Amino acid sequence: MQISVTFKNLPPSEHLKTYVKEKLDRFDRLLDNPAEASVVLSVEKFRHMAEISIIGDRLSIYGKEVTDDMYSTIDMVLDKLEKQIKKTKAK
């Protein structure tokens, strides 16, 4: 999976990048064809936001989550995306 990570109002962190990439690697087994994921991690005051868009062959899903901890935000948005992928595959 091709992954691009963007940071807004947040210093770039290799640890966050590797965390996101490890979590997104589990979607490779769910997807039939190679996909492209764009991740935007941003901070506004005390809100940590994660937006993930996955675009592949006949698949386009988007998830956004806001909490006060970046790691829990990433986990929650990935859970949303996993549900969406399973739902579209069931169709």
Side-chain angles (χ1 to χ4, degrees):
M1 180 181 291
Q2 197 95 28
I3 302 169
S4 66
V5 181
T6 307
F7 295 92
K8 287 186 179 178
N9 301 329
L10 180 70
S13 167
E14 278 300 317
H15 192 264
L16 274 175
K17 276 186 187 179
T18 55
Y19 184 76
V20 169
K21 288 181 181 181
E22 286 174 5
K23 294 289 186 171
L24 279 172
D25 283 341
R26 70 180 178 173
F27 289 146
D28 282 337
R29 63 180 169 79
L30 294 174
L31 300 171
D32 298 330
N33 298 320
E36 215 173 285
S38 63
V39 181
V40 179
L41 304 175
S42 61
V43 175
E44 291 180 2
K45 294 188 181 180
F46 60 90
R47 295 180 306 225
H48 296 261
M49 292 188 291
E51 300 175 43
I52 300 177
S53 174
I54 298 177
I55 298 172
D57 186 36
R58 297 177 290 136
L59 174 73
S60 178
I61 58 173
Y62 175 80
K64 181 179 179 179
E65 191 64 45
V66 179
T67 62
D68 57 352
D69 178 40
M70 186 58 77
Y71 292 99
S72 64
T73 304
I74 293 168
D75 290 338
M76 290 172 72
V77 74
L78 289 173
D79 289 341
K80 280 185 178 180
L81 292 177
E82 187 172 7
K83 287 179 187 174
Q84 288 182 30
I85 290 173
K86 287 180 179 178
K87 186 177 179 181
T88 56
K89 284 190 74 169
K91 291 182 180 180

